[in-house]
Amino acid sequence: MSDTANEPIQSFTAKSDVPVRIEPRRQGFDMATLLGLIGAVLLIAAAIWMGGNWTAFIDVPSILMVILGTFAITTVSYSWSEVVQAQPVMWRTLFVRGQAPDEAAMKVLQLAERARRRGLLAMQNEFSALRGEPYLLRAMTMLVDGMPIEEVERNLTFETHAMAQRHQRSTGILRRAAEVAPAMGLIGTLVGLVQMLGALDQPDAIGPAMAVALLTTFYGAVMANVIFLPLASKLERNSAIELLVNHIYILGALSIGHQENPRRLELVLNTILPANQRVRYFD
Amino acid sequence: MSDTANEPIQSFTAKSDVPVRIEPRRQGFDMATLLGLIGAVLLIAAAIWMGGNWTAFIDVPSILMVILGTFAITTVSYSWSEVVQAQPVMWRTLFVRGQAPDEAAMKVLQLAERARRRGLLAMQNEFSALRGEPYLLRAMTMLVDGMPIEEVERNLTFETHAMAQRHQRSTGILRRAAEVAPAMGLIGTLVGLVQMLGALDQPDAIGPAMAVALLTTFYGAVMANVIFLPLASKLERNSAIELLVNHIYILGALSIGHQENPRRLELVLNTILPANQRVRYFD
Amino acid sequence: MSDTANEPIQSFTAKSDVPVRIEPRRQGFDMATLLGLIGAVLLIAAAIWMGGNWTAFIDVPSILMVILGTFAITTVSYSWSEVVQAQPVMWRTLFVRGQAPDEAAMKVLQLAERARRRGLLAMQNEFSALRGEPYLLRAMTMLVDGMPIEEVERNLTFETHAMAQRHQRSTGILRRAAEVAPAMGLIGTLVGLVQMLGALDQPDAIGPAMAVALLTTFYGAVMANVIFLPLASKLERNSAIELLVNHIYILGALSIGHQENPRRLELVLNTILPANQRVRYFD
Amino acid sequence: MSDTANEPIQSFTAKSDVPVRIEPRRQGFDMATLLGLIGAVLLIAAAIWMGGNWTAFIDVPSILMVILGTFAITTVSYSWSEVVQAQPVMWRTLFVRGQAPDEAAMKVLQLAERARRRGLLAMQNEFSALRGEPYLLRAMTMLVDGMPIEEVERNLTFETHAMAQRHQRSTGILRRAAEVAPAMGLIGTLVGLVQMLGALDQPDAIGPAMAVALLTTFYGAVMANVIFLPLASKLERNSAIELLVNHIYILGALSIGHQENPRRLELVLNTILPANQRVRYFD
Amino acid sequence: MSDTANEPIQSFTAKSDVPVRIEPRRQGFDMATLLGLIGAVLLIAAAIWMGGNWTAFIDVPSILMVILGTFAITTVSYSWSEVVQAQPVMWRTLFVRGQAPDEAAMKVLQLAERARRRGLLAMQNEFSALRGEPYLLRAMTMLVDGMPIEEVERNLTFETHAMAQRHQRSTGILRRAAEVAPAMGLIGTLVGLVQMLGALDQPDAIGPAMAVALLTTFYGAVMANVIFLPLASKLERNSAIELLVNHIYILGALSIGHQENPRRLELVLNTILPANQRVRYFD
């Protein structure tokens, strides 16, 4: 990459004179998740309401059985602490909008331009601005500390890989719950059916008994399809974006470590960004 | 590849004297998608019509519940902007017939022959003809700008890989919707069944109530099997063709960059083209 | 591989004196496919016949809906021309018994022995005998034309890979149809059930109406399980054999190109042939 | 591996003085398969017997339809000869208990110790004892014949890979049959249901007709779950063990070829053996 | 890694003066598994109890058929000894809480610091403290015995790989049982239904007969969803943790073998530990 050494530094635009404006992460609340969930629940509630007699859909023992049963069996599959500890990570990942890939790319380009103008060691002054991005901060710290580039790359790749595995485990808990809920619903319905079939001599009770028997299947289907599966998909999608952002940070850190021309970095970053998120840092 | 240097240039046919006729992409409308969809819908409509009483198949609340529910839950799984932004890409990919692999191969062979006759730098004059193919244009620009071949290959491969991942996400939205629709249908049917079972004392109402309960399952099955799954398959298939075309462009760009004999490029391209689409540029 | 140079050529058996008897491919008709299909259909027909009243199983609108619907939706998933063009390839692959791996191995060993005795260039005279095997012919042509071995290997591997992908697409069409047919059957049955439930006041009509409603499910199950899925499996299996034959041709071409001792080639080929198809060319 | 040369040979225990006791393979009959199958069938038979009226479970046309239909469709998916030829391999693999990995490890260690004491060429005298293990015999023959180690490794790996693929095909036939059987059962039940629904005017006949209709589903479920799927799992498990044994033989042959210290081989073999099957050949 | 040689050893904290406190593994009983199982069973029992008539849920022949049938068929799929021998491993893995990754990391860091201060050979005195960790003990023994690092790494990787495969087999037995149990339930229900349909002339008996028929489905669903599948998931999760711990041990052993600075090891270990389990051995 020695071909970048003799490029005129004055080709940088005036942008690089302003301090690195690494804005705090726009951690907006991701309304889509909440609104979608509420919308789906309201739709089902409306369908129930319109049929009159909505009390027929509430059977506390059935609700307890499906919810507690799903929780108990999911706990068996993992462990108490895992299910509990997964909660904050899960809620944060679900409702907090993460770093967008194009913002991450801009941030990395600013850093790269700075590093090229002022030298790698001067980057220490910018570290406070990176507090919101611990991953990028760790990458820059390793570079400034003089760790060999190959080792920096290995450590960052290890960390990303381990993060992906942890995300998979969180998703796994949700997917497992989505398998368990309909199964508990089926078991509840079978219990109800056997009880009903043993009392066929009371024709009036058959209908309501069967309705109650079906309720657990209904609860299980709603829990799996309206709550667990959508959240698992969301988690996977957010994880994919976070991996992309980390990939951008790795590319940036390696480029800074190799003291490449930031314009080249921009070109590379644009190849992995979607067409409508491509960045133009240099005119 | 120095063994290509001493081949007589006069072995090129007269074809290379005419200017590079890189015709605009034949972006015909892909009628198959639309006709197939309409055909399937008409078949179902006919089956309903023949049974008389077609009004029994229209229940606005059920329709709203399945359609809106599918939309809400799919939105939870992804994000509002993603579902909305995926629309234009999706419609374009679905209904616009893309570049055929054999046309792409011919285009690349014309370019390669030109580049060999007139030199790489002279290719700048042809760039306006490549406007319809941004990917190929980017590849040629990088070559003419003197970027090292390995880096050109890396950038193009990165970009193709990122494109494949974006296509997978679009397909994922459709596949997710195809999972959600029958689930919403099942939930709707369970709601209807529980309501019906609570009112078994009106024997006349049982039939129609059950018919209405089944309608959401019907809507969900039609949405998943007639709309979402076929479109997802189509998207995957179009993505596969676009990847093949990009692969042809990569092979062409590398061949031009290495200044290989275009006849060798033709041989290589024909190995990856289906038997009935093999090209014969040099007779 | 220079250790093969000083082996006595007289160790070759007298076999190599006779001309290369590369017999035309025994392209027998693969009766198993047809007989199996007919057998399965006859079994179902017999089951229907024995129940008397076989006319109850024929409902032209239902048949049209399932068959045409399956065709329409499969067309959406791919494209008109693809579904049509896949037909000849499909029928040929299904009903024509291909080259057996052991015959291919013998053919390659004959060629290798010849090439070693008379030299590579003399192989041009044998090309007419290879007309039935275009893949092997292309491999030999590239060798005789003096293409570097690595490039020959790359081209052959590319071509095999592309062939495998095309076979996968043909299989994909059949597998897709096998998914669509039961879905259309389910949709037809739902239509029938809703119609029936709206007319419960005619008790005599319930049975026949429900029978008709079930017919689409029946047609869909037969189409998927008796026709599409078995043919898809057959296609996959034939594709696997063709890939094995191509693998044998690649190994043979490379061995000829490296001018290895054909006995060594025999040893290698026997490692990838099943125990009961091992060849003994050199006794 | 030159660091093994100066180790004192007298460190070998007295064991190596006795001739290589490569006992004949303990090819006991694997009763588990047969007993399990018989047990499961007896359980179902008992359940039928206890319900009285066991003749209701025998319907020859239904039996013929499911069995012959499964055979016909499985034949379409593969080929006549394949299904027939797969039989002996299948029965042997299913009922004959193969070489245990720890016995194979002991055998290989004995061979390695011998080869180190007496030299590789002296191993020819032991070949008769290896007759029961053709794979190991082939490996030793190639070594004694002076084939380069890399080529020995390549050939053995090729052969193991091809064997794994053939086993997969046998398993595939069984898995395919396990898919076909319930499908034929479903088709038979649909035929029965349609026939029954056309004759609802004979109320007495409804029950028995429906019972007969359900029989094909019952036969299909039993065939798939009691016969085909367990045998497929068994085949896969036996194939995994045979692959492990072959892996042990490859490691042994390479170690002998490299003239390594057999103690090192023991260490390596123990890393791939389960904890309760670790071998202790040297004191 | 020679760049670590000139770092001042006095940078080590006072911690390294105390003996390596490798505490015995905290092998607490993993209550979560047991409590979850009991909770789920109690929930189902409560649902049955509340419906009165709980005797209707106990049918000894049905219980025997599902339990014994599942056992018999699972035995066919594997082998008698495998199913029996898998028990202790399974119970230990399920109920004994293994080494936590952060404890393993601390242990490895202590060892690494010791080895750096006192030299590798002095580590022999610490071996008694490692008795609880046979894997780590084996790794250290190989290092102290002077085996080349590459060979140590190969052996450890082999062993971890073989362990993962054995865990997969145990999980496979449970997953297989989870497939078989509902299948046996379905077969039992089909038997019951056919028997019931043959005796429709006793209207009073229909309900109870059908209830009994449904019981096998109920048993199968409970066995699969409450017992086998959760245990299989737990086994997979525990296996993943054990693999992570082994990975930490491999990294530690290689670091000790290369005589790297333990601070670097800490950095690397922290990249693969979850954020809330990161270790700080060196302040």
Side-chain angles (χ1 to χ4, degrees):
Chain A
M1 304 293 175
S2 59
D3 56 338
T4 66
N6 48 7
E7 293 183 6
I9 283 192
Q10 56 268 36
S11 76
F12 284 122
T13 63
K15 268 187 194 165
S16 57
D17 291 330
V18 298
V20 179
R21 300 145 319 185
I22 294 173
E23 293 107 33
R25 202 195 255 247
R26 292 190 328 217
Q27 288 194 335
F29 189 74
D30 183 358
M31 293 301 285
T33 310
L34 200 63
L35 287 184
L37 278 181
I38 291 176
V41 169
L42 282 184
L43 277 168
I44 297 171
I48 290 174
W49 193 266
M50 283 170 59
N53 193 15
W54 60 269
T55 54
F57 285 87
I58 295 176
D59 184 54
V60 175
S62 300
I63 293 178
L64 284 181
M65 184 185 164
V66 176
I67 293 183
L68 293 183
T70 302
F71 185 76
I73 291 182
T74 308
T75 308
V76 175
S77 305
Y78 292 87
S79 84
W80 179 268
S81 64
E82 239 167 342
V83 173
V84 170
Q85 280 176 17
Q87 305 295 322
V89 179
M90 226 150 74
W91 298 128
R92 203 177 61 77
T93 315
L94 285 173
F95 291 110
V96 179
R97 203 189 302 114
Q99 177 83 319
D102 50 353
E103 296 169 19
M106 285 303 280
K107 206 170 277 184
V108 154
L109 286 171
Q110 283 177 320
L111 272 179
E113 190 197 12
R114 283 270 147 146
R116 192 159 159 87
R117 278 179 79 88
R118 310 196 183 155
L120 191 51
L121 292 181
M123 297 314 289
Q124 298 211 37
N125 308 324
E126 320 280 1
F127 278 6
S128 60
L130 291 175
R131 205 163 294 156
E133 298 298 335
Y135 187 82
L136 182 55
L137 180 57
R138 257 197 305 281
M140 294 305 297
T141 310
M142 285 191 273
L143 282 178
V144 171
D145 287 358
M147 190 182 283
I149 307 262
E150 297 76 30
E151 213 167 325
V152 173
E153 182 171 14
R154 197 191 54 166
N155 283 350
L156 293 177
T157 310
F158 258 45
E159 191 171 346
T160 301
H161 188 64
M163 192 196 73
Q165 282 191 320
R166 283 196 301 279
H167 285 191
Q168 269 183 7
R169 193 183 298 172
S170 297
T171 315
I173 293 179
L174 284 171
R175 291 222 175 273
R176 187 79 192 95
E179 285 168 19
V180 172
M184 285 310 291
L186 171 70
I187 289 174
T189 296
L190 285 170
V191 168
L193 281 181
V194 170
Q195 286 170 343
M196 183 202 77
L197 289 167
L200 283 185
D201 45 351
Q202 301 156 298
D204 287 356
I206 293 178
M210 189 132 177
V212 171
L214 277 183
L215 277 184
T216 52
T217 291
F218 172 68
Y219 297 145
V222 170
M223 282 173 66
N225 291 297
V226 177
I227 301 180
F228 294 134
L229 281 179
L231 293 190
S233 291
K234 184 79 165 213
L235 218 53
E236 271 169 6
R237 175 239 175 216
N238 285 357
S239 171
I241 291 183
E242 201 166 338
L243 287 179
L244 179 57
V245 167
N246 277 11
H247 192 39
I248 288 171
Y249 289 157
I250 293 180
L251 287 174
L254 295 184
S255 174
I256 291 173
H258 284 123
Q259 304 192 313
E260 280 183 3
N261 186 336
R263 287 174 184 275
R264 179 156 299 179
L265 175 61
E266 188 187 60
L267 201 73
V268 171
L269 291 182
N270 276 336
T271 61
I272 65 169
L273 286 171
N276 62 346
Q277 293 190 16
R278 297 233 165 90
V279 292
R280 292 186 66 82
Y281 184 73
F282 305 103
D283 56 349
Chain B
M1 306 292 174
S2 59
D3 56 338
T4 66
N6 47 8
E7 293 183 8
I9 284 192
Q10 57 267 39
S11 76
F12 284 122
T13 62
K15 270 187 193 167
S16 58
D17 291 332
V18 297
V20 179
R21 299 146 319 187
I22 295 175
E23 293 108 32
R25 204 193 254 248
R26 291 190 326 219
Q27 289 195 334
F29 189 74
D30 184 358
M31 293 300 285
T33 310
L34 201 62
L35 287 184
L37 279 181
I38 291 176
V41 169
L42 282 184
L43 276 168
I44 296 170
I48 290 173
W49 193 265
M50 283 170 58
N53 193 16
W54 59 270
T55 54
F57 285 87
I58 294 176
D59 184 55
V60 176
S62 300
I63 293 177
L64 284 181
M65 184 185 164
V66 176
I67 292 183
L68 292 182
T70 302
F71 185 75
I73 292 182
T74 308
T75 307
V76 175
S77 305
Y78 291 88
S79 84
W80 180 269
S81 64
E82 240 167 342
V83 172
V84 170
Q85 281 175 15
Q87 306 294 323
V89 179
M90 226 150 73
W91 298 128
R92 203 177 62 76
T93 315
L94 286 174
F95 290 109
V96 179
R97 204 189 301 112
Q99 177 84 319
D102 51 352
E103 296 169 18
M106 283 305 278
K107 206 171 276 184
V108 153
L109 286 171
Q110 284 176 318
L111 272 179
E113 190 197 11
R114 282 271 147 146
R116 191 161 161 86
R117 277 179 80 89
R118 309 199 184 154
L120 191 51
L121 292 181
M123 297 314 289
Q124 298 212 37
N125 308 324
E126 321 278 1
F127 278 6
S128 60
L130 291 175
R131 205 163 294 156
E133 298 299 333
Y135 187 83
L136 183 54
L137 180 57
R138 259 196 305 280
M140 293 306 297
T141 311
M142 286 191 273
L143 282 178
V144 170
D145 287 358
M147 190 181 283
I149 307 261
E150 296 75 30
E151 212 167 325
V152 173
E153 182 172 15
R154 196 190 57 166
N155 284 349
L156 293 177
T157 310
F158 258 46
E159 190 170 346
T160 301
H161 188 63
M163 192 195 74
Q165 282 191 319
R166 283 196 301 277
H167 285 191
Q168 268 184 6
R169 193 183 297 173
S170 298
T171 316
I173 294 179
L174 284 171
R175 291 222 174 273
R176 186 80 192 95
E179 284 168 20
V180 172
M184 285 309 291
L186 172 69
I187 289 173
T189 297
L190 285 170
V191 169
L193 282 180
V194 170
Q195 286 170 342
M196 183 201 78
L197 289 167
L200 283 184
D201 45 350
Q202 301 156 296
D204 287 357
I206 293 178
M210 189 134 177
V212 170
L214 277 183
L215 277 184
T216 52
T217 291
F218 172 69
Y219 296 147
V222 170
M223 281 173 66
N225 291 298
V226 176
I227 301 180
F228 295 134
L229 281 179
L231 293 190
S233 292
K234 183 80 166 211
L235 218 53
E236 271 170 5
R237 175 240 175 216
N238 284 356
S239 171
I241 291 183
E242 201 167 338
L243 287 179
L244 179 58
V245 167
N246 278 12
H247 192 39
I248 288 171
Y249 289 157
I250 292 180
L251 286 174
L254 296 184
S255 174
I256 291 173
H258 284 123
Q259 303 191 313
E260 280 182 4
N261 187 335
R263 287 174 184 275
R264 180 157 297 177
L265 175 61
E266 188 187 61
L267 201 72
V268 172
L269 291 182
N270 275 337
T271 61
I272 65 169
L273 286 171
N276 61 346
Q277 294 191 17
R278 297 233 165 90
V279 292
R280 290 188 66 82
Y281 185 72
F282 307 102
D283 48 352
Chain C
M1 305 293 174
S2 60
D3 56 337
T4 65
N6 48 8
E7 293 184 7
I9 283 193
Q10 57 268 38
S11 76
F12 284 122
T13 63
K15 270 186 191 167
S16 58
D17 291 332
V18 298
V20 180
R21 298 147 320 187
I22 295 175
E23 293 107 34
R25 205 194 253 246
R26 291 191 327 217
Q27 289 194 332
F29 189 74
D30 183 358
M31 293 300 284
T33 309
L34 201 62
L35 287 184
L37 278 180
I38 291 176
V41 169
L42 281 184
L43 276 168
I44 296 170
I48 291 174
W49 193 265
M50 282 169 59
N53 193 15
W54 59 269
T55 53
F57 285 87
I58 294 176
D59 184 55
V60 176
S62 301
I63 293 177
L64 284 181
M65 184 184 164
V66 176
I67 293 183
L68 293 183
T70 303
F71 185 75
I73 292 182
T74 309
T75 307
V76 175
S77 306
Y78 292 88
S79 83
W80 179 269
S81 64
E82 240 167 342
V83 173
V84 170
Q85 281 176 15
Q87 306 294 322
V89 179
M90 225 149 74
W91 298 129
R92 202 177 61 78
T93 315
L94 285 174
F95 290 110
V96 178
R97 203 189 302 113
Q99 178 83 319
D102 50 351
E103 296 169 19
M106 284 305 279
K107 204 170 278 183
V108 154
L109 285 171
Q110 284 177 319
L111 272 179
E113 190 198 10
R114 283 269 148 146
R116 193 162 159 86
R117 277 179 80 90
R118 309 196 184 155
L120 191 52
L121 292 182
M123 297 314 290
Q124 298 210 37
N125 308 324
E126 320 279 1
F127 278 6
S128 60
L130 290 175
R131 206 163 294 158
E133 299 298 333
Y135 187 83
L136 183 54
L137 180 57
R138 257 195 307 279
M140 294 306 296
T141 310
M142 287 191 272
L143 282 177
V144 171
D145 287 359
M147 190 182 283
I149 307 261
E150 297 75 31
E151 212 167 326
V152 172
E153 183 172 14
R154 195 190 57 165
N155 283 350
L156 292 177
T157 311
F158 258 45
E159 189 170 346
T160 301
H161 189 64
M163 192 195 73
Q165 283 191 319
R166 282 196 302 278
H167 284 192
Q168 269 184 6
R169 192 182 297 173
S170 298
T171 316
I173 294 178
L174 283 171
R175 292 222 173 272
R176 186 80 192 94
E179 285 168 19
V180 172
M184 286 309 291
L186 171 70
I187 289 174
T189 297
L190 285 170
V191 169
L193 281 180
V194 171
Q195 285 169 344
M196 183 201 78
L197 288 167
L200 283 185
D201 46 350
Q202 301 155 300
D204 288 357
I206 294 178
M210 188 132 177
V212 170
L214 278 183
L215 277 184
T216 52
T217 291
F218 171 69
Y219 296 146
V222 170
M223 280 172 68
N225 291 297
V226 176
I227 300 180
F228 295 135
L229 281 179
L231 293 190
S233 292
K234 184 79 166 212
L235 217 53
E236 271 169 4
R237 175 239 175 218
N238 285 357
S239 171
I241 291 183
E242 200 166 339
L243 287 179
L244 178 58
V245 167
N246 277 12
H247 191 39
I248 288 170
Y249 288 157
I250 292 180
L251 286 174
L254 296 184
S255 173
I256 292 173
H258 285 122
Q259 303 191 315
E260 280 183 4
N261 186 334
R263 287 174 184 273
R264 179 155 299 177
L265 175 61
E266 187 187 62
L267 201 72
V268 171
L269 291 182
N270 275 337
T271 62
I272 65 169
L273 286 171
N276 61 346
Q277 293 190 17
R278 297 232 165 90
V279 292
R280 290 188 67 81
Y281 185 72
F282 307 103
D283 47 352
Chain D
M1 305 292 175
S2 59
D3 57 345
T4 66
N6 48 8
E7 293 184 6
I9 283 192
Q10 57 268 38
S11 76
F12 284 122
T13 64
K15 269 187 193 166
S16 58
D17 291 331
V18 299
V20 180
R21 297 147 321 188
I22 294 174
E23 292 109 34
R25 204 196 254 246
R26 291 190 326 216
Q27 289 194 332
F29 189 74
D30 184 359
M31 293 301 285
T33 310
L34 200 61
L35 287 184
L37 278 180
I38 291 177
V41 169
L42 282 184
L43 276 168
I44 296 170
I48 290 174
W49 192 266
M50 284 169 59
N53 193 16
W54 58 270
T55 54
F57 286 86
I58 295 176
D59 185 55
V60 176
S62 301
I63 293 177
L64 284 182
M65 184 185 165
V66 176
I67 293 184
L68 293 183
T70 303
F71 185 77
I73 291 182
T74 308
T75 307
V76 175
S77 305
Y78 292 87
S79 84
W80 179 269
S81 64
E82 241 167 341
V83 173
V84 170
Q85 280 176 17
Q87 306 295 322
V89 179
M90 225 148 75
W91 299 128
R92 203 178 61 77
T93 315
L94 285 173
F95 290 109
V96 179
R97 204 190 301 113
Q99 178 84 321
D102 50 353
E103 295 168 19
M106 285 303 280
K107 206 171 277 184
V108 154
L109 285 171
Q110 283 177 320
L111 273 180
E113 189 198 11
R114 283 269 147 145
R116 191 161 160 86
R117 277 179 82 88
R118 308 196 184 155
L120 190 52
L121 291 182
M123 297 314 290
Q124 298 212 36
N125 309 323
E126 321 280 0
F127 278 6
S128 60
L130 291 175
R131 205 163 294 156
E133 299 298 334
Y135 186 82
L136 183 55
L137 181 57
R138 257 196 306 279
M140 294 304 298
T141 311
M142 286 191 272
L143 282 178
V144 172
D145 287 358
M147 190 182 284
I149 308 262
E150 297 75 31
E151 212 167 327
V152 173
E153 183 172 15
R154 196 190 57 166
N155 283 349
L156 293 177
T157 311
F158 258 46
E159 189 170 346
T160 301
H161 188 64
M163 192 194 74
Q165 282 191 318
R166 283 196 301 277
H167 285 192
Q168 268 185 6
R169 193 183 297 173
S170 298
T171 316
I173 293 178
L174 282 171
R175 291 222 174 274
R176 186 80 193 95
E179 285 168 19
V180 172
M184 285 309 292
L186 172 69
I187 289 173
T189 297
L190 285 170
V191 168
L193 281 180
V194 170
Q195 286 170 343
M196 182 202 78
L197 288 167
L200 282 184
D201 45 350
Q202 302 155 300
D204 287 356
I206 294 179
M210 188 133 177
V212 170
L214 278 183
L215 277 184
T216 52
T217 291
F218 171 69
Y219 296 146
V222 170
M223 281 172 68
N225 291 297
V226 176
I227 300 180
F228 295 135
L229 281 179
L231 293 190
S233 292
K234 184 79 166 214
L235 217 52
E236 271 169 5
R237 174 238 175 219
N238 285 356
S239 171
I241 291 183
E242 201 165 339
L243 287 179
L244 179 57
V245 167
N246 277 13
H247 192 39
I248 288 170
Y249 288 158
I250 292 180
L251 287 174
L254 296 184
S255 173
I256 291 173
H258 286 122
Q259 303 192 314
E260 280 183 2
N261 186 334
R263 288 174 183 276
R264 180 155 298 178
L265 174 62
E266 188 187 60
L267 202 73
V268 171
L269 291 182
N270 275 337
T271 61
I272 64 169
L273 286 171
N276 62 347
Q277 293 191 16
R278 297 232 165 90
V279 292
R280 289 188 67 81
Y281 183 72
F282 304 102
D283 57 350
Chain E
M1 305 293 176
S2 59
D3 57 338
T4 66
N6 48 7
E7 293 183 7
I9 284 192
Q10 57 268 36
S11 75
F12 285 121
T13 64
K15 268 186 192 164
S16 58
D17 292 330
V18 299
V20 180
R21 298 146 320 186
I22 294 173
E23 293 107 33
R25 203 194 255 246
R26 291 190 327 216
Q27 289 194 333
F29 189 73
D30 184 359
M31 293 300 286
T33 310
L34 201 60
L35 287 184
L37 278 180
I38 291 176
V41 169
L42 282 184
L43 276 168
I44 296 169
I48 290 174
W49 193 267
M50 284 169 59
N53 194 14
W54 58 269
T55 54
F57 286 87
I58 295 177
D59 185 54
V60 176
S62 300
I63 293 178
L64 284 181
M65 185 186 164
V66 177
I67 293 184
L68 292 183
T70 303
F71 185 76
I73 291 181
T74 309
T75 308
V76 175
S77 305
Y78 291 88
S79 84
W80 180 269
S81 64
E82 240 168 341
V83 173
V84 170
Q85 281 176 16
Q87 305 295 322
V89 179
M90 226 149 74
W91 298 129
R92 203 177 61 78
T93 316
L94 285 173
F95 291 110
V96 179
R97 203 189 301 114
Q99 178 83 320
D102 50 352
E103 296 169 19
M106 284 304 280
K107 206 170 275 184
V108 154
L109 286 171
Q110 284 177 320
L111 272 179
E113 190 198 10
R114 282 270 148 143
R116 191 159 160 87
R117 276 180 80 87
R118 307 196 184 156
L120 191 52
L121 291 182
M123 297 314 289
Q124 300 212 34
N125 308 324
E126 320 280 0
F127 278 7
S128 60
L130 291 175
R131 205 162 296 156
E133 299 298 335
Y135 187 82
L136 183 54
L137 181 56
R138 258 196 305 280
M140 293 305 297
T141 311
M142 286 192 273
L143 283 177
V144 171
D145 287 358
M147 190 182 283
I149 308 261
E150 297 75 31
E151 211 168 327
V152 173
E153 183 171 14
R154 196 190 56 167
N155 283 350
L156 293 177
T157 310
F158 258 46
E159 191 171 346
T160 301
H161 188 63
M163 192 195 73
Q165 282 191 320
R166 282 196 301 279
H167 284 191
Q168 269 184 7
R169 193 182 297 174
S170 298
T171 316
I173 293 179
L174 283 171
R175 292 222 174 274
R176 186 80 192 94
E179 286 168 19
V180 172
M184 285 310 291
L186 172 69
I187 289 173
T189 297
L190 285 171
V191 168
L193 281 180
V194 170
Q195 287 170 343
M196 183 203 77
L197 288 167
L200 282 185
D201 45 350
Q202 302 156 298
D204 287 356
I206 293 178
M210 189 134 178
V212 171
L214 277 183
L215 277 184
T216 52
T217 291
F218 172 69
Y219 296 146
V222 170
M223 282 172 67
N225 291 297
V226 176
I227 300 180
F228 294 135
L229 281 179
L231 293 190
S233 292
K234 184 79 165 214
L235 218 53
E236 270 170 5
R237 175 238 175 217
N238 285 356
S239 171
I241 291 182
E242 201 166 337
L243 288 179
L244 179 58
V245 167
N246 277 12
H247 191 38
I248 287 170
Y249 288 157
I250 293 180
L251 287 173
L254 296 184
S255 173
I256 291 173
H258 285 121
Q259 303 193 313
E260 280 183 3
N261 187 336
R263 288 174 184 275
R264 180 156 299 178
L265 175 61
E266 189 188 60
L267 201 73
V268 172
L269 290 182
N270 275 338
T271 61
I272 64 169
L273 286 171
N276 61 347
Q277 292 191 16
R278 296 233 166 91
V279 292
R280 290 187 66 81
Y281 185 72
F282 305 103
D283 50 349

